[in-house]
Amino acid sequence: MTQFTIHTEDSAPEASKPLVAKSIAANGRLPGLHGVMAEAPGLLEGYQKLHELFMNSSFDKDELTVVWQAINVENECHYCVPAHTGIAKMMKVDDAITEALRNETPLPTPRLEALRSFTLKLVRERGFVSDADVQAFLDAGFTQRNILEVILGYSQKIMSNYTNHLAKTPVDKVFEKYAWSRTEAAA
């Protein structure tokens, strides 16, 4: 089994040091995911940039959370589900939204459910979403721009979910209380 390095501010490759400093400035600490990604400076930089772009998309905090967590849960990311649970709390997202996403139960509004449904269709069908499913998303009040922004959010989540699967990144201590697994959520 390959043991991935979780870099610190001191051990990060030289090209990653400014990116690590940016992560620490933004988070008050170096998230384990960012420590792993620091091994490949381009990955960490790309992840940070996609995060910034997605945060500045037209989605509100609830919608951002739906896209992130729907993908995290679908991909069974042991690290990202707890992290985005904590992030949602910091963003003051209603706990009912977070719990519905974590437990794969209906969301509180049809609009948010339409967003989760479209996001999961995009992921599961690898982008080959039917015209009927696209129309249902548009009929729920979303736009073509939103369709493309879901792709942006998915791009960010591929980077984090797959990195965490390969590296088995330990959940950051601050998010351990939100530990998650699909088996536990289904129970």
Side-chain angles (χ1 to χ4, degrees):
M1 177 174 104
T2 301
Q3 181 79 27
F4 282 78
T5 302
I6 302 175
H7 286 286
T8 65
E9 199 170 10
D10 296 327
S11 72
E14 203 56 42
S16 288
K17 288 191 184 292
L19 302 167
V20 166
K22 181 178 177 181
S23 289
I24 292 169
N27 298 288
R29 60 185 173 74
L30 182 61
L33 170 66
H34 298 198
V36 172
M37 287 181 162
E39 182 69 26
L43 178 65
L44 180 54
E45 182 177 7
Y47 181 78
Q48 288 176 340
K49 185 62 178 175
L50 286 177
H51 178 73
E52 177 184 318
L53 292 169
F54 191 57
M55 287 291 295
N56 291 319
S57 71
S58 64
F59 289 128
D60 67 24
K61 64 185 174 58
D62 294 346
E63 294 163 342
L64 291 168
T65 299
V66 169
V67 173
W68 280 325
Q69 278 297 53
I71 296 166
N72 292 335
V73 168
E74 179 66 15
N75 288 337
E76 296 184 49
C77 187
H78 72 282
Y79 180 95
C80 288
V81 174
H84 278 281
T85 300
I87 291 165
K89 285 192 176 295
M90 288 183 258
M91 293 170 65
K92 300 198 182 331
V93 171
D94 186 335
D95 287 342
I97 294 170
T98 299
E99 289 308 309
L101 290 162
R102 287 172 58 96
N103 297 318
E104 300 177 270
T105 57
L107 285 159
T109 70
R111 180 176 166 85
L112 292 178
E113 192 60 50
L115 178 56
R116 172 170 53 185
S117 178
F118 181 80
T119 299
L120 291 175
K121 286 180 189 308
L122 181 87
V123 171
R124 292 171 181 163
E125 301 301 321
R126 297 181 313 276
F128 294 102
V129 180
S130 74
D131 290 343
D133 289 329
V134 168
Q135 192 58 53
F137 187 61
L138 296 172
D139 290 346
F142 291 100
T143 65
Q144 290 180 4
R145 176 180 176 172
N146 296 139
I147 291 168
L148 299 172
E149 289 173 335
V150 170
I151 295 169
L152 175 63
Y154 184 36
S155 299
Q156 178 195 4
K157 292 289 55 190
I158 288 172
M159 296 169 104
S160 60
N161 291 172
Y162 291 10
T163 296
N164 291 318
H165 291 334
L166 288 165
K168 297 176 180 49
T169 313
V171 175
D172 297 330
K173 194 166 240 13
V174 67
F175 299 130
E176 284 177 350
K177 62 186 166 195
Y178 306 122
W180 176 91
S181 72
R182 177 164 274 140
T183 307
E184 291 172 12

